[in-house]
Amino acid sequence: MRPLVRTAALNGYVELSRSLGLDPRALMKSVGLDTADLAVQDRWISGTAVVRLLELSAAASGREDFGLLLAELRRFSNLGPISLLVREEPDVRSALALLIRHQHTYNEVLHARLSEGNGVATLKVDLRFGESQPARQGTELAVGAFHRVLCGFLGPHWRPSSVCFVHPAPRHTTGHRRLFGPLVEFDRDFNGIVCYAEDLDAPNAMADAQLRSYTRQYFEPVAAPREASEADRVRDLIEALLPTGRCSIEQIARSLGVDRRTVHRHLARSGETFSSLLNSTRMGLAEQFVANPSRSLTEVSTLLGFSSLSAFSRWFHEHFGTGPREWRKSRGGTATHGGR
């Protein structure tokens, strides 16, 4: 299946689009995305759809620097849980190495690598989709985001030796030079940032040596590389889409950038179906939600994607052999009025 990215990749997209006179809802819908997806930045959506959206938005707004404008809105926290680890690295080099080593935890499209030699450090950045895909805006967003991270460590006035792009120069390079400095080069053989290697030796003023050991231990399962199966991806999307009431095989396929037959085919290889994953995911969440007495059963039914409490109650009885109120009571929870 095609690679995914966290919705945090589009942080600020709605606001930026509106400021440029665009309709973000219509543009996102045209590539199979929904503005509602952006409410939670840890959801995963199609990387191909995101890059297409950026290209469409740049064309519609007439802003060739659309990706850079979006990069300027990026915050350190947009990296997700890995940002807590990175903040505690002792120097810029180790922080950057950690970001590169665990880039799969926040963006499956991104392929970055760092090389050093003769006192020069080169960060090369590529986007990989498994197919030919126009990605000028996505590439500039990725390079701009790395630049923002480096400035976060080295200060807002830090400038790289040069910033390089494979694609041709736009008509106007004002935005590029405002963000990166005067040495922005186009038609080069790589996308990325070049700086002095000694810049990466700079100590991280944010780091706390004691806190570093705690964050590493706590986030080790998050940062550890893992190969997500097709079933894992579908399961994650089901969990994300259930509360929206739009959890269908068609929506899952759109999020993954494929058709529904492809989803069925991939799931069949692992002995699963969409229905089986939907049920197992719902059952796991139902146990968690119903056991929590602070959640009303009406709220639980909505979180699990049911149109009514009665529909949820029938489903729950079918799979657990008893009603949700009785199940909650048997585990020590309270079942008060108001759908509790």
Side-chain angles (χ1 to χ4, degrees), residues 289-297 300 316 322-336 339-340:
F289 293 156
V290 176
N292 183 355
S294 67
R295 290 190 185 276
S296 72
L297 294 181
V300 172
F316 193 95
T322 185
R325 288 186 178 84
E326 293 73 22
W327 192 90
R328 173 176 283 179
K329 286 180 181 179
S330 71
R331 280 153 180 75
T334 57
T336 58
R340 308 281 289 231

mmCIF file with all atom_site columns, all heavy atoms in Angstrom, residues 289-297 300 316 322-336 339-340:
data_model
loop_
_atom_site.group_PDB
_atom_site.id
_atom_site.type_symbol
_atom_site.label_atom_id
_atom_site.label_alt_id
_atom_site.label_comp_id
_atom_site.label_asym_id
_atom_site.label_entity_id
_atom_site.label_seq_id
_atom_site.pdbx_PDB_ins_code
_atom_site.Cartn_x
_atom_site.Cartn_y
_atom_site.Cartn_z
_atom_site.occupancy
_atom_site.B_iso_or_equiv
_atom_site.pdbx_formal_charge
_atom_site.auth_seq_id
_atom_site.auth_comp_id
_atom_site.auth_asym_id
_atom_site.auth_atom_id
_atom_site.pdbx_PDB_model_num
ATOM 1   N N   . PHE A 1 289 ? -13.606 1.633  26.679 1.00 0.00 ? 289 PHE A N   1
ATOM 2   C CA  . PHE A 1 289 ? -14.506 2.759  26.912 1.00 0.00 ? 289 PHE A CA  1
ATOM 3   C C   . PHE A 1 289 ? -15.610 2.429  27.925 1.00 0.00 ? 289 PHE A C   1
ATOM 4   O O   . PHE A 1 289 ? -15.918 3.234  28.800 1.00 0.00 ? 289 PHE A O   1
ATOM 5   C CB  . PHE A 1 289 ? -15.149 3.210  25.593 1.00 0.00 ? 289 PHE A CB  1
ATOM 6   C CG  . PHE A 1 289 ? -14.175 3.808  24.612 1.00 0.00 ? 289 PHE A CG  1
ATOM 7   C CD1 . PHE A 1 289 ? -14.453 3.797  23.241 1.00 0.00 ? 289 PHE A CD1 1
ATOM 8   C CD2 . PHE A 1 289 ? -12.977 4.363  25.028 1.00 0.00 ? 289 PHE A CD2 1
ATOM 9   C CE1 . PHE A 1 289 ? -13.563 4.342  22.331 1.00 0.00 ? 289 PHE A CE1 1
ATOM 10  C CE2 . PHE A 1 289 ? -12.077 4.905  24.119 1.00 0.00 ? 289 PHE A CE2 1
ATOM 11  C CZ  . PHE A 1 289 ? -12.375 4.904  22.766 1.00 0.00 ? 289 PHE A CZ  1
ATOM 12  N N   . VAL A 1 290 ? -16.232 1.264  27.772 1.00 0.00 ? 290 VAL A N   1
ATOM 13  C CA  . VAL A 1 290 ? -17.349 0.912  28.656 1.00 0.00 ? 290 VAL A CA  1
ATOM 14  C C   . VAL A 1 290 ? -16.866 0.731  30.087 1.00 0.00 ? 290 VAL A C   1
ATOM 15  O O   . VAL A 1 290 ? -17.585 1.034  31.043 1.00 0.00 ? 290 VAL A O   1
ATOM 16  C CB  . VAL A 1 290 ? -18.071 -0.362 28.148 1.00 0.00 ? 290 VAL A CB  1
ATOM 17  C CG1 . VAL A 1 290 ? -19.171 -0.776 29.112 1.00 0.00 ? 290 VAL A CG1 1
ATOM 18  C CG2 . VAL A 1 290 ? -18.665 -0.106 26.767 1.00 0.00 ? 290 VAL A CG2 1
ATOM 19  N N   . ALA A 1 291 ? -15.646 0.247  30.266 1.00 0.00 ? 291 ALA A N   1
ATOM 20  C CA  . ALA A 1 291 ? -15.107 0.050  31.615 1.00 0.00 ? 291 ALA A CA  1
ATOM 21  C C   . ALA A 1 291 ? -14.874 1.375  32.337 1.00 0.00 ? 291 ALA A C   1
ATOM 22  O O   . ALA A 1 291 ? -14.742 1.398  33.563 1.00 0.00 ? 291 ALA A O   1
ATOM 23  C CB  . ALA A 1 291 ? -13.798 -0.737 31.540 1.00 0.00 ? 291 ALA A CB  1
ATOM 24  N N   . ASN A 1 292 ? -14.824 2.470  31.590 1.00 0.00 ? 292 ASN A N   1
ATOM 25  C CA  . ASN A 1 292 ? -14.584 3.795  32.179 1.00 0.00 ? 292 ASN A CA  1
ATOM 26  C C   . ASN A 1 292 ? -15.920 4.436  32.547 1.00 0.00 ? 292 ASN A C   1
ATOM 27  O O   . ASN A 1 292 ? -16.657 4.891  31.676 1.00 0.00 ? 292 ASN A O   1
ATOM 28  C CB  . ASN A 1 292 ? -13.840 4.665  31.173 1.00 0.00 ? 292 ASN A CB  1
ATOM 29  C CG  . ASN A 1 292 ? -13.495 6.030  31.739 1.00 0.00 ? 292 ASN A CG  1
ATOM 30  O OD1 . ASN A 1 292 ? -13.887 6.388  32.849 1.00 0.00 ? 292 ASN A OD1 1
ATOM 31  N ND2 . ASN A 1 292 ? -12.759 6.822  30.971 1.00 0.00 ? 292 ASN A ND2 1
ATOM 32  N N   . PRO A 1 293 ? -16.267 4.500  33.835 1.00 0.00 ? 293 PRO A N   1
ATOM 33  C CA  . PRO A 1 293 ? -17.585 5.017  34.238 1.00 0.00 ? 293 PRO A CA  1
ATOM 34  C C   . PRO A 1 293 ? -17.777 6.501  33.958 1.00 0.00 ? 293 PRO A C   1
ATOM 35  O O   . PRO A 1 293 ? -18.903 6.999  34.007 1.00 0.00 ? 293 PRO A O   1
ATOM 36  C CB  . PRO A 1 293 ? -17.627 4.731  35.744 1.00 0.00 ? 293 PRO A CB  1
ATOM 37  C CG  . PRO A 1 293 ? -16.200 4.671  36.165 1.00 0.00 ? 293 PRO A CG  1
ATOM 38  C CD  . PRO A 1 293 ? -15.462 4.083  34.994 1.00 0.00 ? 293 PRO A CD  1
ATOM 39  N N   . SER A 1 294 ? -16.688 7.224  33.670 1.00 0.00 ? 294 SER A N   1
ATOM 40  C CA  . SER A 1 294 ? -16.822 8.656  33.391 1.00 0.00 ? 294 SER A CA  1
ATOM 41  C C   . SER A 1 294 ? -17.381 8.915  31.992 1.00 0.00 ? 294 SER A C   1
ATOM 42  O O   . SER A 1 294 ? -17.772 10.035 31.675 1.00 0.00 ? 294 SER A O   1
ATOM 43  C CB  . SER A 1 294 ? -15.475 9.358  33.555 1.00 0.00 ? 294 SER A CB  1
ATOM 44  O OG  . SER A 1 294 ? -14.558 8.935  32.568 1.00 0.00 ? 294 SER A OG  1
ATOM 45  N N   . ARG A 1 295 ? -17.398 7.894  31.138 1.00 0.00 ? 295 ARG A N   1
ATOM 46  C CA  . ARG A 1 295 ? -17.952 8.034  29.792 1.00 0.00 ? 295 ARG A CA  1
ATOM 47  C C   . ARG A 1 295 ? -19.390 7.535  29.777 1.00 0.00 ? 295 ARG A C   1
ATOM 48  O O   . ARG A 1 295 ? -19.661 6.405  30.187 1.00 0.00 ? 295 ARG A O   1
ATOM 49  C CB  . ARG A 1 295 ? -17.136 7.235  28.769 1.00 0.00 ? 295 ARG A CB  1
ATOM 50  C CG  . ARG A 1 295 ? -15.753 7.782  28.473 1.00 0.00 ? 295 ARG A CG  1
ATOM 51  C CD  . ARG A 1 295 ? -15.165 7.060  27.282 1.00 0.00 ? 295 ARG A CD  1
ATOM 52  N NE  . ARG A 1 295 ? -13.793 7.435  26.985 1.00 0.00 ? 295 ARG A NE  1
ATOM 53  C CZ  . ARG A 1 295 ? -13.450 8.488  26.255 1.00 0.00 ? 295 ARG A CZ  1
ATOM 54  N NH1 . ARG A 1 295 ? -14.399 9.268  25.755 1.00 0.00 ? 295 ARG A NH1 1
ATOM 55  N NH2 . ARG A 1 295 ? -12.179 8.760  26.029 1.00 0.00 ? 295 ARG A NH2 1
ATOM 56  N N   . SER A 1 296 ? -20.297 8.361  29.287 1.00 0.00 ? 296 SER A N   1
ATOM 57  C CA  . SER A 1 296 ? -21.670 7.890  29.134 1.00 0.00 ? 296 SER A CA  1
ATOM 58  C C   . SER A 1 296 ? -21.715 6.876  27.999 1.00 0.00 ? 296 SER A C   1
ATOM 59  O O   . SER A 1 296 ? -20.877 6.915  27.081 1.00 0.00 ? 296 SER A O   1
ATOM 60  C CB  . SER A 1 296 ? -22.611 9.055  28.820 1.00 0.00 ? 296 SER A CB  1
ATOM 61  O OG  . SER A 1 296 ? -22.403 9.517  27.493 1.00 0.00 ? 296 SER A OG  1
ATOM 62  N N   . LEU A 1 297 ? -22.671 5.979  28.046 1.00 0.00 ? 297 LEU A N   1
ATOM 63  C CA  . LEU A 1 297 ? -22.782 4.972  26.996 1.00 0.00 ? 297 LEU A CA  1
ATOM 64  C C   . LEU A 1 297 ? -23.174 5.612  25.665 1.00 0.00 ? 297 LEU A C   1
ATOM 65  O O   . LEU A 1 297 ? -22.830 5.101  24.602 1.00 0.00 ? 297 LEU A O   1
ATOM 66  C CB  . LEU A 1 297 ? -23.780 3.893  27.398 1.00 0.00 ? 297 LEU A CB  1
ATOM 67  C CG  . LEU A 1 297 ? -23.354 3.043  28.605 1.00 0.00 ? 297 LEU A CG  1
ATOM 68  C CD1 . LEU A 1 297 ? -24.407 1.976  28.908 1.00 0.00 ? 297 LEU A CD1 1
ATOM 69  C CD2 . LEU A 1 297 ? -21.993 2.395  28.355 1.00 0.00 ? 297 LEU A CD2 1
ATOM 70  N N   . VAL A 1 300 ? -19.938 6.645  24.270 1.00 0.00 ? 300 VAL A N   1
ATOM 71  C CA  . VAL A 1 300 ? -19.210 5.470  23.805 1.00 0.00 ? 300 VAL A CA  1
ATOM 72  C C   . VAL A 1 300 ? -19.745 5.014  22.454 1.00 0.00 ? 300 VAL A C   1
ATOM 73  O O   . VAL A 1 300 ? -18.982 4.677  21.543 1.00 0.00 ? 300 VAL A O   1
ATOM 74  C CB  . VAL A 1 300 ? -19.294 4.323  24.831 1.00 0.00 ? 300 VAL A CB  1
ATOM 75  C CG1 . VAL A 1 300 ? -18.706 3.030  24.255 1.00 0.00 ? 300 VAL A CG1 1
ATOM 76  C CG2 . VAL A 1 300 ? -18.566 4.700  26.112 1.00 0.00 ? 300 VAL A CG2 1
ATOM 77  N N   . PHE A 1 316 ? -23.249 -4.728 21.144 1.00 0.00 ? 316 PHE A N   1
ATOM 78  C CA  . PHE A 1 316 ? -22.484 -5.113 22.330 1.00 0.00 ? 316 PHE A CA  1
ATOM 79  C C   . PHE A 1 316 ? -23.002 -6.436 22.895 1.00 0.00 ? 316 PHE A C   1
ATOM 80  O O   . PHE A 1 316 ? -22.219 -7.331 23.234 1.00 0.00 ? 316 PHE A O   1
ATOM 81  C CB  . PHE A 1 316 ? -22.578 -4.012 23.389 1.00 0.00 ? 316 PHE A CB  1
ATOM 82  C CG  . PHE A 1 316 ? -21.590 -4.166 24.510 1.00 0.00 ? 316 PHE A CG  1
ATOM 83  C CD1 . PHE A 1 316 ? -20.378 -3.518 24.481 1.00 0.00 ? 316 PHE A CD1 1
ATOM 84  C CD2 . PHE A 1 316 ? -21.887 -4.971 25.611 1.00 0.00 ? 316 PHE A CD2 1
ATOM 85  C CE1 . PHE A 1 316 ? -19.452 -3.659 25.515 1.00 0.00 ? 316 PHE A CE1 1
ATOM 86  C CE2 . PHE A 1 316 ? -20.980 -5.122 26.649 1.00 0.00 ? 316 PHE A CE2 1
ATOM 87  C CZ  . PHE A 1 316 ? -19.752 -4.465 26.600 1.00 0.00 ? 316 PHE A CZ  1
ATOM 88  N N   . THR A 1 322 ? -23.937 -9.799 26.914 1.00 0.00 ? 322 THR A N   1
ATOM 89  C CA  . THR A 1 322 ? -24.699 -9.015 27.878 1.00 0.00 ? 322 THR A CA  1
ATOM 90  C C   . THR A 1 322 ? -24.724 -7.573 27.423 1.00 0.00 ? 322 THR A C   1
ATOM 91  O O   . THR A 1 322 ? -23.966 -7.187 26.516 1.00 0.00 ? 322 THR A O   1
ATOM 92  C CB  . THR A 1 322 ? -24.070 -9.114 29.290 1.00 0.00 ? 322 THR A CB  1
ATOM 93  O OG1 . THR A 1 322 ? -24.907 -8.443 30.232 1.00 0.00 ? 322 THR A OG1 1
ATOM 94  C CG2 . THR A 1 322 ? -22.681 -8.480 29.317 1.00 0.00 ? 322 THR A CG2 1
ATOM 95  N N   . GLY A 1 323 ? -25.590 -6.767 28.012 1.00 0.00 ? 323 GLY A N   1
ATOM 96  C CA  . GLY A 1 323 ? -25.676 -5.371 27.637 1.00 0.00 ? 323 GLY A CA  1
ATOM 97  C C   . GLY A 1 323 ? -24.526 -4.569 28.225 1.00 0.00 ? 323 GLY A C   1
ATOM 98  O O   . GLY A 1 323 ? -23.892 -4.987 29.197 1.00 0.00 ? 323 GLY A O   1
ATOM 99  N N   . PRO A 1 324 ? -24.229 -3.392 27.653 1.00 0.00 ? 324 PRO A N   1
ATOM 100 C CA  . PRO A 1 324 ? -23.105 -2.589 28.149 1.00 0.00 ? 324 PRO A CA  1
ATOM 101 C C   . PRO A 1 324 ? -23.275 -2.121 29.594 1.00 0.00 ? 324 PRO A C   1
ATOM 102 O O   . PRO A 1 324 ? -22.307 -2.059 30.341 1.00 0.00 ? 324 PRO A O   1
ATOM 103 C CB  . PRO A 1 324 ? -23.046 -1.413 27.176 1.00 0.00 ? 324 PRO A CB  1
ATOM 104 C CG  . PRO A 1 324 ? -24.400 -1.363 26.528 1.00 0.00 ? 324 PRO A CG  1
ATOM 105 C CD  . PRO A 1 324 ? -24.878 -2.775 26.481 1.00 0.00 ? 324 PRO A CD  1
ATOM 106 N N   . ARG A 1 325 ? -24.519 -1.782 30.010 1.00 0.00 ? 325 ARG A N   1
ATOM 107 C CA  . ARG A 1 325 ? -24.734 -1.366 31.401 1.00 0.00 ? 325 ARG A CA  1
ATOM 108 C C   . ARG A 1 325 ? -24.415 -2.498 32.358 1.00 0.00 ? 325 ARG A C   1
ATOM 109 O O   . ARG A 1 325 ? -23.737 -2.306 33.377 1.00 0.00 ? 325 ARG A O   1
ATOM 110 C CB  . ARG A 1 325 ? -26.172 -0.895 31.595 1.00 0.00 ? 325 ARG A CB  1
ATOM 111 C CG  . ARG A 1 325 ? -26.497 0.446  30.945 1.00 0.00 ? 325 ARG A CG  1
ATOM 112 C CD  . ARG A 1 325 ? -27.897 0.911  31.309 1.00 0.00 ? 325 ARG A CD  1
ATOM 113 N NE  . ARG A 1 325 ? -28.186 2.215  30.719 1.00 0.00 ? 325 ARG A NE  1
ATOM 114 C CZ  . ARG A 1 325 ? -28.617 2.400  29.488 1.00 0.00 ? 325 ARG A CZ  1
ATOM 115 N NH1 . ARG A 1 325 ? -28.792 1.333  28.698 1.00 0.00 ? 325 ARG A NH1 1
ATOM 116 N NH2 . ARG A 1 325 ? -28.858 3.613  29.030 1.00 0.00 ? 325 ARG A NH2 1
ATOM 117 N N   . GLU A 1 326 ? -24.908 -3.690 32.035 1.00 0.00 ? 326 GLU A N   1
ATOM 118 C CA  . GLU A 1 326 ? -24.657 -4.847 32.896 1.00 0.00 ? 326 GLU A CA  1
ATOM 119 C C   . GLU A 1 326 ? -23.174 -5.196 32.912 1.00 0.00 ? 326 GLU A C   1
ATOM 120 O O   . GLU A 1 326 ? -22.613 -5.546 33.958 1.00 0.00 ? 326 GLU A O   1
ATOM 121 C CB  . GLU A 1 326 ? -25.482 -6.044 32.418 1.00 0.00 ? 326 GLU A CB  1
ATOM 122 C CG  . GLU A 1 326 ? -26.996 -5.885 32.586 1.00 0.00 ? 326 GLU A CG  1
ATOM 123 C CD  . GLU A 1 326 ? -27.611 -4.912 31.590 1.00 0.00 ? 326 GLU A CD  1
ATOM 124 O OE1 . GLU A 1 326 ? -26.988 -4.686 30.518 1.00 0.00 ? 326 GLU A OE1 1
ATOM 125 O OE2 . GLU A 1 326 ? -28.696 -4.363 31.905 1.00 0.00 ? 326 GLU A OE2 1
ATOM 126 N N   . TRP A 1 327 ? -22.539 -5.111 31.755 1.00 0.00 ? 327 TRP A N   1
ATOM 127 C CA  . TRP A 1 327 ? -21.109 -5.419 31.663 1.00 0.00 ? 327 TRP A CA  1
ATOM 128 C C   . TRP A 1 327 ? -20.303 -4.452 32.518 1.00 0.00 ? 327 TRP A C   1
ATOM 129 O O   . TRP A 1 327 ? -19.374 -4.841 33.217 1.00 0.00 ? 327 TRP A O   1
ATOM 130 C CB  . TRP A 1 327 ? -20.677 -5.337 30.208 1.00 0.00 ? 327 TRP A CB  1
ATOM 131 C CG  . TRP A 1 327 ? -19.316 -5.899 29.906 1.00 0.00 ? 327 TRP A CG  1
ATOM 132 C CD1 . TRP A 1 327 ? -18.993 -7.171 29.544 1.00 0.00 ? 327 TRP A CD1 1
ATOM 133 C CD2 . TRP A 1 327 ? -18.076 -5.168 29.930 1.00 0.00 ? 327 TRP A CD2 1
ATOM 134 N NE1 . TRP A 1 327 ? -17.638 -7.293 29.341 1.00 0.00 ? 327 TRP A NE1 1
ATOM 135 C CE2 . TRP A 1 327 ? -17.050 -6.088 29.579 1.00 0.00 ? 327 TRP A CE2 1
ATOM 136 C CE3 . TRP A 1 327 ? -17.725 -3.849 30.226 1.00 0.00 ? 327 TRP A CE3 1
ATOM 137 C CZ2 . TRP A 1 327 ? -15.708 -5.708 29.508 1.00 0.00 ? 327 TRP A CZ2 1
ATOM 138 C CZ3 . TRP A 1 327 ? -16.394 -3.476 30.161 1.00 0.00 ? 327 TRP A CZ3 1
ATOM 139 C CH2 . TRP A 1 327 ? -15.393 -4.406 29.799 1.00 0.00 ? 327 TRP A CH2 1
ATOM 140 N N   . ARG A 1 328 ? -20.686 -3.164 32.464 1.00 0.00 ? 328 ARG A N   1
ATOM 141 C CA  . ARG A 1 328 ? -19.989 -2.148 33.267 1.00 0.00 ? 328 ARG A CA  1
ATOM 142 C C   . ARG A 1 328 ? -20.163 -2.417 34.752 1.00 0.00 ? 328 ARG A C   1
ATOM 143 O O   . ARG A 1 328 ? -19.203 -2.348 35.530 1.00 0.00 ? 328 ARG A O   1
ATOM 144 C CB  . ARG A 1 328 ? -20.496 -0.757 32.901 1.00 0.00 ? 328 ARG A CB  1
ATOM 145 C CG  . ARG A 1 328 ? -19.964 0.357  33.784 1.00 0.00 ? 328 ARG A CG  1
ATOM 146 C CD  . ARG A 1 328 ? -20.428 1.713  33.312 1.00 0.00 ? 328 ARG A CD  1
ATOM 147 N NE  . ARG A 1 328 ? -19.670 2.173  32.150 1.00 0.00 ? 328 ARG A NE  1
ATOM 148 C CZ  . ARG A 1 328 ? -19.886 3.333  31.530 1.00 0.00 ? 328 ARG A CZ  1
ATOM 149 N NH1 . ARG A 1 328 ? -20.858 4.134  31.947 1.00 0.00 ? 328 ARG A NH1 1
ATOM 150 N NH2 . ARG A 1 328 ? -19.154 3.692  30.494 1.00 0.00 ? 328 ARG A NH2 1
ATOM 151 N N   . LYS A 1 329 ? -21.393 -2.753 35.172 1.00 0.00 ? 329 LYS A N   1
ATOM 152 C CA  . LYS A 1 329 ? -21.643 -3.024 36.587 1.00 0.00 ? 329 LYS A CA  1
ATOM 153 C C   . LYS A 1 329 ? -20.837 -4.215 37.071 1.00 0.00 ? 329 LYS A C   1
ATOM 154 O O   . LYS A 1 329 ? -20.309 -4.216 38.188 1.00 0.00 ? 329 LYS A O   1
ATOM 155 C CB  . LYS A 1 329 ? -23.132 -3.297 36.797 1.00 0.00 ? 329 LYS A CB  1
ATOM 156 C CG  . LYS A 1 329 ? -24.023 -2.071 36.718 1.00 0.00 ? 329 LYS A CG  1
ATOM 157 C CD  . LYS A 1 329 ? -25.471 -2.461 36.945 1.00 0.00 ? 329 LYS A CD  1
ATOM 158 C CE  . LYS A 1 329 ? -26.384 -1.257 36.852 1.00 0.00 ? 329 LYS A CE  1
ATOM 159 N NZ  . LYS A 1 329 ? -27.820 -1.641 37.041 1.00 0.00 ? 329 LYS A NZ  1
ATOM 160 N N   . SER A 1 330 ? -20.733 -5.241 36.230 1.00 0.00 ? 330 SER A N   1
ATOM 161 C CA  . SER A 1 330 ? -20.022 -6.454 36.644 1.00 0.00 ? 330 SER A CA  1
ATOM 162 C C   . SER A 1 330 ? -18.534 -6.200 36.863 1.00 0.00 ? 330 SER A C   1
ATOM 163 O O   . SER A 1 330 ? -17.853 -6.987 37.519 1.00 0.00 ? 330 SER A O   1
ATOM 164 C CB  . SER A 1 330 ? -20.200 -7.559 35.592 1.00 0.00 ? 330 SER A CB  1
ATOM 165 O OG  . SER A 1 330 ? -19.469 -7.254 34.403 1.00 0.00 ? 330 SER A OG  1
ATOM 166 N N   . ARG A 1 331 ? -18.041 -5.074 36.314 1.00 0.00 ? 331 ARG A N   1
ATOM 167 C CA  . ARG A 1 331 ? -16.626 -4.736 36.489 1.00 0.00 ? 331 ARG A CA  1
ATOM 168 C C   . ARG A 1 331 ? -16.411 -3.581 37.435 1.00 0.00 ? 331 ARG A C   1
ATOM 169 O O   . ARG A 1 331 ? -15.358 -2.935 37.446 1.00 0.00 ? 331 ARG A O   1
ATOM 170 C CB  . ARG A 1 331 ? -15.988 -4.439 35.121 1.00 0.00 ? 331 ARG A CB  1
ATOM 171 C CG  . ARG A 1 331 ? -15.630 -5.732 34.394 1.00 0.00 ? 331 ARG A CG  1
ATOM 172 C CD  . ARG A 1 331 ? -15.615 -5.585 32.911 1.00 0.00 ? 331 ARG A CD  1
ATOM 173 N NE  . ARG A 1 331 ? -15.267 -6.858 32.289 1.00 0.00 ? 331 ARG A NE  1
ATOM 174 C CZ  . ARG A 1 331 ? -16.101 -7.891 32.187 1.00 0.00 ? 331 ARG A CZ  1
ATOM 175 N NH1 . ARG A 1 331 ? -17.325 -7.805 32.676 1.00 0.00 ? 331 ARG A NH1 1
ATOM 176 N NH2 . ARG A 1 331 ? -15.720 -9.036 31.620 1.00 0.00 ? 331 ARG A NH2 1
ATOM 177 N N   . GLY A 1 332 ? -17.440 -3.300 38.215 1.00 0.00 ? 332 GLY A N   1
ATOM 178 C CA  . GLY A 1 332 ? -17.280 -2.310 39.275 1.00 0.00 ? 332 GLY A CA  1
ATOM 179 C C   . GLY A 1 332 ? -17.578 -0.884 38.883 1.00 0.00 ? 332 GLY A C   1
ATOM 180 O O   . GLY A 1 332 ? -17.431 0.019  39.684 1.00 0.00 ? 332 GLY A O   1
ATOM 181 N N   . GLY A 1 333 ? -17.964 -0.665 37.598 1.00 0.00 ? 333 GLY A N   1
ATOM 182 C CA  . GLY A 1 333 ? -18.312 0.684  37.168 1.00 0.00 ? 333 GLY A CA  1
ATOM 183 C C   . GLY A 1 333 ? -19.714 1.034  37.589 1.00 0.00 ? 333 GLY A C   1
ATOM 184 O O   . GLY A 1 333 ? -20.514 0.189  37.986 1.00 0.00 ? 333 GLY A O   1
ATOM 185 N N   . THR A 1 334 ? -20.054 2.319  37.569 1.00 0.00 ? 334 THR A N   1
ATOM 186 C CA  . THR A 1 334 ? -21.393 2.755  37.920 1.00 0.00 ? 334 THR A CA  1
ATOM 187 C C   . THR A 1 334 ? -22.214 2.939  36.647 1.00 0.00 ? 334 THR A C   1
ATOM 188 O O   . THR A 1 334 ? -21.693 3.248  35.586 1.00 0.00 ? 334 THR A O   1
ATOM 189 C CB  . THR A 1 334 ? -21.350 4.096  38.663 1.00 0.00 ? 334 THR A CB  1
ATOM 190 O OG1 . THR A 1 334 ? -20.686 5.061  37.845 1.00 0.00 ? 334 THR A OG1 1
ATOM 191 C CG2 . THR A 1 334 ? -20.608 3.948  39.975 1.00 0.00 ? 334 THR A CG2 1
ATOM 192 N N   . ALA A 1 335 ? -23.486 2.741  36.782 1.00 0.00 ? 335 ALA A N   1
ATOM 193 C CA  . ALA A 1 335 ? -24.390 2.902  35.644 1.00 0.00 ? 335 ALA A CA  1
ATOM 194 C C   . ALA A 1 335 ? -25.517 3.814  36.063 1.00 0.00 ? 335 ALA A C   1
ATOM 195 O O   . ALA A 1 335 ? -26.585 3.380  36.493 1.00 0.00 ? 335 ALA A O   1
ATOM 196 C CB  . ALA A 1 335 ? -24.935 1.552  35.189 1.00 0.00 ? 335 ALA A CB  1
ATOM 197 N N   . THR A 1 336 ? -25.304 5.107  35.993 1.00 0.00 ? 336 THR A N   1
ATOM 198 C CA  . THR A 1 336 ? -26.282 6.069  36.437 1.00 0.00 ? 336 THR A CA  1
ATOM 199 C C   . THR A 1 336 ? -27.163 6.505  35.283 1.00 0.00 ? 336 THR A C   1
ATOM 200 O O   . THR A 1 336 ? -27.079 5.973  34.192 1.00 0.00 ? 336 THR A O   1
ATOM 201 C CB  . THR A 1 336 ? -25.569 7.309  37.022 1.00 0.00 ? 336 THR A CB  1
ATOM 202 O OG1 . THR A 1 336 ? -24.724 7.860  36.024 1.00 0.00 ? 336 THR A OG1 1
ATOM 203 C CG2 . THR A 1 336 ? -24.715 6.909  38.222 1.00 0.00 ? 336 THR A CG2 1
ATOM 204 N N   . GLY A 1 339 ? -27.833 7.704  30.088 1.00 0.00 ? 339 GLY A N   1
ATOM 205 C CA  . GLY A 1 339 ? -27.094 6.848  29.176 1.00 0.00 ? 339 GLY A CA  1
ATOM 206 C C   . GLY A 1 339 ? -25.806 6.344  29.775 1.00 0.00 ? 339 GLY A C   1
ATOM 207 O O   . GLY A 1 339 ? -24.862 6.047  29.067 1.00 0.00 ? 339 GLY A O   1
ATOM 208 N N   . ARG A 1 340 ? -25.717 6.275  31.098 1.00 0.00 ? 340 ARG A N   1
ATOM 209 C CA  . ARG A 1 340 ? -24.496 5.821  31.766 1.00 0.00 ? 340 ARG A CA  1
ATOM 210 C C   . ARG A 1 340 ? -24.560 4.327  32.014 1.00 0.00 ? 340 ARG A C   1
ATOM 211 O O   . ARG A 1 340 ? -23.619 3.734  32.417 1.00 0.00 ? 340 ARG A O   1
ATOM 212 C CB  . ARG A 1 340 ? -24.301 6.564  33.099 1.00 0.00 ? 340 ARG A CB  1
ATOM 213 C CG  . ARG A 1 340 ? -24.357 8.070  32.999 1.00 0.00 ? 340 ARG A CG  1
ATOM 214 C CD  . ARG A 1 340 ? -23.077 8.664  32.470 1.00 0.00 ? 340 ARG A CD  1
ATOM 215 N NE  . ARG A 1 340 ? -22.010 8.554  33.450 1.00 0.00 ? 340 ARG A NE  1
ATOM 216 C CZ  . ARG A 1 340 ? -21.251 9.558  33.828 1.00 0.00 ? 340 ARG A CZ  1
ATOM 217 N NH1 . ARG A 1 340 ? -21.490 10.753 33.367 1.00 0.00 ? 340 ARG A NH1 1
ATOM 218 N NH2 . ARG A 1 340 ? -20.229 9.390  34.643 1.00 0.00 ? 340 ARG A NH2 1
#
